[in-house]
Amino acid sequence: MRRTPRVRPRATRATRLFPCAAALVAAAGLSQFAAPAAPHAAAATAAAVCDGTGADAADAADAADAGARKPAGGPSGKDPNAVDATRARAMQADLDERLARLGSAHVPLAAVPTTVPVYVHVIHSGEAGRLAQGAVDAQIDHLNATYGGQGEGNTDTRFHFELASIDWTDNAGWYNGVTPGSAAEKAMKQALHRGDQGTLNLYTAHLGQSLLGWATFPNAYRSDPADDGVVVLDASLPGGSATHYDQGNTATHETGHWLGLFHTFQGGCLGPGDYVDDTPPERSAAYGCPEGRHTCAGPGLDPIHNFMDYSYDSCMTQFTPGQAQRMANAWAAYRS
């Protein structure tokens, strides 16, 4: 966000119970990032009561079924892998358990930035999608700017990204319309994945379903190491042709998931939301740059300027200190 609003403490939000739901589900590890052609209208604030909790269960459903963030001209539709409240709670329980084994609920932020090696895999079909070295360099620079605290209201997360290598793969079957969970994605990753849990594999291609990108969460590495990484639309890199999404923030957003962050609208107006204390609650994803949007009761405007919302690239400027802490916790628990 362009300014840091004074928000209601997350402890207040945490006093609300989770939405009415069945037992915990197994925590899986995929998150996707896509959007409609036009800004989404602001949703109404919470009102109904779920089993006496004082919170609107529809908030969580709205957030879980958020319209996918897609490039201009793409069809609208919901995120096919949104994290619902039960899955988020299971993922949080796993993180808490791992942190407990480390003897701390919070890992101190590193005095020296944690360096993350990045292997970039450029998938192309002939000249289509064959990104130049300069485009990749610009994306790495943008990751370091956004994670290094540059931008209005931003926080230095203490993560630094270092390009380890770039490879180019001419494969039309992988390039044209690859989607999460597809045979093409599996083959691509099994052939190209490099490094270990602390290495970021970044793939670029012309994605299917009008998606801008998707990422695996850190807890998923142990079950499928080769799947680990981030996939982004080639046109979303800095200077690309994805209108409103051409400044590199798709990779910033998806890397946030890779480092353990949920969307800012996770859980809607219900606590604990995205499990970060200093991001205001938000009933549903923001599209465009709707200044002054306020979809949940109480203080704190919606965090439309946060990298983990669905806003235009030009609107995204911020990680919060709480998000930096969560990424540090997830790194210590899963990636160090």
Side-chain angles (χ1 to χ4, degrees):
M1 57 187 78
R2 298 192 185 282
R3 60 186 176 83
T4 305
R6 189 73 177 171
V7 301
R8 139 181 63 171
R10 188 57 62 92
T12 300
R13 297 174 64 192
T15 61
R16 298 176 174 181
L17 301 180
F18 289 97
C20 307
L24 294 178
V25 295
L30 181 68
S31 171
Q32 302 186 16
F33 188 35
H40 199 282
T45 55
V49 174
C50 173
D51 293 340
T53 64
D56 186 0
D59 291 339
D62 286 350
D65 291 338
R69 185 180 190 271
K70 300 182 179 180
S76 62
K78 70 179 184 179
D79 184 333
N81 277 80
V83 179
D84 63 22
T86 53
R87 181 175 160 211
R89 183 164 53 169
M91 292 170 71
Q92 182 63 36
D94 189 73
L95 174 60
D96 289 342
E97 180 182 353
R98 284 177 166 258
L99 290 173
R101 292 179 199 168
L102 297 176
S104 175
H106 298 287
V107 176
L109 295 183
V112 177
T114 297
T115 297
V116 181
V118 184
Y119 288 91
V120 178
H121 310 290
V122 177
I123 314 301
H124 60 102
S125 177
E127 289 304 307
R130 198 180 194 288
L131 300 176
Q133 168 94 38
V136 174
D137 290 341
Q139 181 64 77
I140 299 299
D141 289 345
H142 187 75
L143 284 174
N144 284 321
T146 52
Y147 280 85
Q150 295 184 32
E152 188 171 352
N154 200 10
T155 298
D156 185 350
T157 69
R158 313 305 290 161
F159 284 97
H160 178 80
F161 300 88
E162 186 173 280
L163 183 61
S165 74
I166 311 174
D167 53 68
W168 287 265
T169 301
D170 190 347
N171 187 315
W174 295 353
Y175 176 72
N176 290 304
V178 62
T179 55
S182 65
E185 184 201 22
K186 184 175 182 179
M188 175 182 75
K189 288 183 171 181
Q190 286 182 339
L192 300 176
H193 187 275
R194 302 278 301 278
D196 58 15
Q197 73 277 4
T199 302
L200 174 59
N201 281 261
L202 176 64
Y203 303 82
T204 70
H206 182 66
L207 311 184
Q209 301 174 0
S210 296
L211 292 170
L212 283 167
W214 64 88
T216 55
F217 285 108
N219 65 293
Y221 181 86
R222 56 192 170 184
S223 62
D224 192 354
D227 186 48
D228 189 62
V230 166
V231 182
V232 299
L233 178 69
D234 51 5
S236 73
L237 272 65
S241 59
T243 304
H244 299 304
Y245 308 103
D246 57 358
Q247 297 180 18
N249 280 336
T250 292
T252 296
H253 176 107
E254 296 303 341
T255 300
H257 289 312
W258 186 80
L259 288 168
L261 297 183
F262 292 123
H263 292 127
T264 53
F265 50 87
Q266 172 67 37
C269 296
L270 294 170
D274 63 351
Y275 293 87
V276 175
D277 289 341
D278 57 4
T279 54
E282 182 179 29
R283 177 164 181 160
S284 60
Y287 298 104
C289 194
E291 295 288 353
R293 187 174 188 258
H294 189 197
T295 56
C296 293
L301 297 177
D302 290 2
I304 67 165
H305 299 300
N306 197 281
F307 291 115
M308 301 312 295
D309 210 331
Y310 274 7
S311 310
Y312 287 165
D313 276 17
S314 59
C315 191
M316 291 178 160
T317 64
Q318 185 183 44
F319 285 117
T320 68
Q323 287 175 316
Q325 181 63 67
R326 182 173 179 82
M327 287 188 278
N329 291 346
W331 183 269
Y334 299 108
R335 297 204 178 279
S336 64

